[in-house]
Amino acid sequence: MEAEAADGPAGGVEAALSCFSFNQDCTSLAIGTKAGYKLFSLSSVEQLDQVHGSNEIPDVYIVERLFSSSLVVVVSHTKPRQMNVYHFKKGTEICNYSYSSNILSIRLNRQRLLVCLEESIYIHNIKDMKLLKTILDIPANPTGLCALSINHSNSYVAYPGSLTTGEIVLYDGHSLKTVCTIAAHEGTLAAITFNASGSKLASASEKGTVIRVFSVPEGQKLYEFRRGMKRYVTISSLAFSMDSQFLCASSNTETVHIFKLEHLANSRPEEPSTWSGYMGKMFMAASNYLPAQVSDMMNQDRAFATGRLNFSGQKNICTLSTIQKLPRLLVASSDGHLYIYNLDPQDGGECVLIKTHRLLGSGTTEENKENDLRPSLPQSYAATVARPSASSASTVPGYSEDGGALRGEVIPEHEFATGPVCLDDENEFPPVSIRNP
């Protein structure tokens, strides 16, 4: 989940965040500023360790890290048509690509790297950066709205299919073919995201009142949640928990909503044993005879839990993660703060704010000690993005507990069209610059 922040900060902070994004398994936070970018580890509630920081590229407005690896993709306002791929641990540039217009967003998993322009999407093979497919003539997409499944075994892509309605095009990034088109909303899309396994897709329109979840690849509606009815809002982010049991949504209001993905009807007894249960059953039966719009509104599930922010109107993103073995709600805001809440997975309700971290400060956060204890790095760029071995501990199918970072199998050199790609020896891999792929 990634967001480009507003131009000016609120509350007079040291500097505005130009962008901020959580990595694919929510173990890391990346921020971009006028001065450069920083990467933080999210392994602790009390302490926010800075993994890496760079001032070599100013005015960064896109920064994406691949899981917990040393691979980071950066785009700057100084060269908005150029994507730079770095191995930050070695301080080397792997390659850079230039495109025909400004880059609006970037998504990546261990198989694909997605570059979204306003009217086209480029799909690269991340192991050798070959351009595999260019999706041309898509409806104008000025915000670069798109999603990529983090599960590289399917690599599904989703992007808007219409200028005027909430139509979603589901594309298979592996076979490079369109799968289906989903009529998700009446209004224009504002947010879309896949769950960790790539089996579900959540969406919200510009109205921001209803959030829907669809099956992948069938495109069938599974859930419908009502965020609110009183006013339209701008949904800024959607994120599933890693186990797909919860879905959170943040907006330009002071409330973050968390929905639980369960069919409540399955847990109800067939014959109500109380008067209130009987009336509830009669009420649901009556909805079958009401107009479709009214019936849908009655059947929509409300939020399971909420997180209260001390601000509204600021750009922010949210995610659900497990930190120190407990479920947490995380919210990063353009004012330069990270807010961490406790989430009660059983009873829901109001999430408790337990820690606020300042992301823009004196830079005294120490280097991530956990990284220093990890095994030495593999010798090839392919190993950085390759699938980890089957023996790795896994919290998401296909990934080790730390995202399979730098622990994959090495791809033989002959598989690279451009020769060996070596991150540990700059002489073996000179920088690559490719214009207008």
Side-chain angles (χ1 to χ4, degrees), residues 62-106:
I62 293 177
V63 55
E64 295 285 346
R65 184 185 184 188
L66 179 64
F67 289 91
S68 298
S69 74
S70 296
L71 180 72
V72 63
V73 182
V74 180
V75 183
S76 167
H77 277 302
T78 59
K79 293 183 179 180
R81 298 185 178 187
Q82 179 173 297
M83 172 185 68
N84 302 88
V85 184
Y86 296 101
H87 185 297
F88 69 78
K89 193 105 176 184
K90 289 295 180 181
T92 58
E93 181 181 81
I94 297 171
C95 62
N96 63 74
Y97 276 67
S98 291
Y99 300 84
S100 58
S101 62
N102 290 357
I103 300 170
L104 300 179
S105 62
I106 287 175

Side-chain angles (χ1 to χ4, degrees), residues 12-72:
V13 293
E14 180 180 317
L17 297 187
S18 54
C19 64
F20 35 95
S21 64
F22 295 106
N23 68 342
Q24 295 83 359
D25 57 359
C26 307
T27 58
S28 176
L29 172 65
I31 65 169
T33 68
K34 295 284 186 182
Y37 70 91
K38 294 180 180 180
L39 305 175
F40 299 94
S41 169
L42 300 175
S43 58
S44 171
V45 169
E46 293 298 324
Q47 184 172 347
L48 189 65
D49 289 331
Q50 182 176 317
V51 178
H52 174 68
S54 173
N55 296 327
E56 294 183 5
I57 297 183
D59 214 2
V60 171
Y61 73 95
I62 293 177
V63 55
E64 295 285 346
R65 184 185 184 188
L66 179 64
F67 289 91
S68 298
S69 74
S70 296
L71 180 72
V72 63

